[in-house]
Amino acid sequence: IPFYTGVDQGFYFGKFTLYFTAECFGTGIVGLTVIAWGVGSMITSLLSEKISVYTSRTFLALTGGLLQAGMILFMLFWERVPSYIMVFLTSFGWGIVDGMWLLLPFIYIGLKIENEGKQKEAIFSLMWGAYAAGGTVGFLITNYVSVSTNLLILLVLLLASYATYIGTEGFSGEGRNLIAWCENKFIKRIKQF
């Protein structure tokens, strides 16, 4: 999920603001659409933790995945008719989904990893490293591929991220989760050095 979130933000700040906003309305409106994205992300970040107490994290992931897939498909078939409502709603919706995707790994790690020591710190470092790598890839591919290709890449990465998250959640009840596997394989080896 962190890698996908980085790529998705690379698309949003690279292609969406240029192709869907600046070319339709000019560069003066780009800042307002980014504000709409930020407000959506902030609201969702505040509410996702509260919602995850009453529902499952898998429900949040499913909701976020379906909303994101719907927006990607909408943008694939959108004919870029200048419409403030569509640009701002899409931007706000993108922020809502981004807020969910950014918070889910933190909720999962906070609940599943009980050690407050170096293991949790190492896992958070790996997560932020994946996020940074995703952002780098996201900004790089926006310069070299078309919008429709970029959206298709996002859709494939979304499906892969969702599958790995559901797989991790599914295995966590049996104690065979991905985080424990990474901890056993990599973190213990790092400690040996």
Side-chain angles (χ1 to χ4, degrees):
I1 290 180
F3 181 80
Y4 171 76
T5 305
V7 173
D8 130 302
Q9 286 183 1
F11 167 78
Y12 178 79
F13 291 117
K15 279 283 195 215
F16 181 84
T17 54
L18 173 69
Y19 187 74
F20 291 99
T21 305
E23 287 186 8
C24 289
F25 303 109
T27 57
I29 201 78
V30 170
L32 294 174
T33 58
V34 173
I35 289 172
W37 173 86
V39 168
S41 183
M42 179 199 62
I43 289 171
T44 308
S45 293
L46 293 173
L47 293 179
S48 288
E49 184 180 6
K50 305 294 184 217
I51 292 170
S52 72
V53 171
Y54 300 109
T55 65
S56 67
R57 294 181 304 276
T58 307
F59 173 76
L60 280 176
L62 177 65
T63 304
L66 289 175
L67 285 172
Q68 185 86 47
M71 285 193 307
I72 290 171
L73 292 173
F74 168 74
M75 284 191 277
L76 271 171
F77 298 110
W78 187 16
E79 293 200 15
R80 283 197 323 141
V81 176
S83 168
Y84 285 110
I85 293 172
M86 296 311 291
V87 167
F88 281 104
L89 282 178
T90 305
S91 187
F92 184 75
W94 204 274
I96 286 174
V97 173
D98 218 27
M100 276 188 217
W101 286 119
L102 280 171
L103 196 61
L104 279 172
F106 289 109
I107 294 172
Y108 181 80
I109 290 170
L111 292 174
K112 295 295 179 186
I113 307 297
E114 301 193 11
N115 253 343
E116 291 293 329
K118 300 269 186 196
Q119 288 95 6
K120 194 177 260 190
E121 183 180 320
I123 291 170
F124 279 123
S125 296
L126 287 172
M127 191 171 69
W128 283 112
Y131 177 72
T136 304
V137 169
F139 279 109
L140 283 174
I141 63 174
T142 58
N143 292 326
Y144 300 107
V145 298
S146 67
V147 173
S148 57
T149 305
N150 203 331
L151 287 168
L152 291 173
I153 290 170
L154 273 177
L155 194 58
V156 168
L157 286 174
L158 172 66
L159 294 174
S161 296
Y162 184 70
T164 56
Y165 182 78
I166 295 302
T168 303
E169 282 284 346
F171 289 126
S172 66
E174 302 167 6
R176 298 179 295 168
N177 59 15
L178 182 61
I179 293 172
W181 181 82
C182 288
E183 181 181 332
N184 289 332
K185 291 288 183 179
F186 299 109
I187 296 174
K188 288 181 180 176
R189 288 186 183 171
I190 291 171
K191 286 181 183 178
Q192 292 174 353
F193 290 107

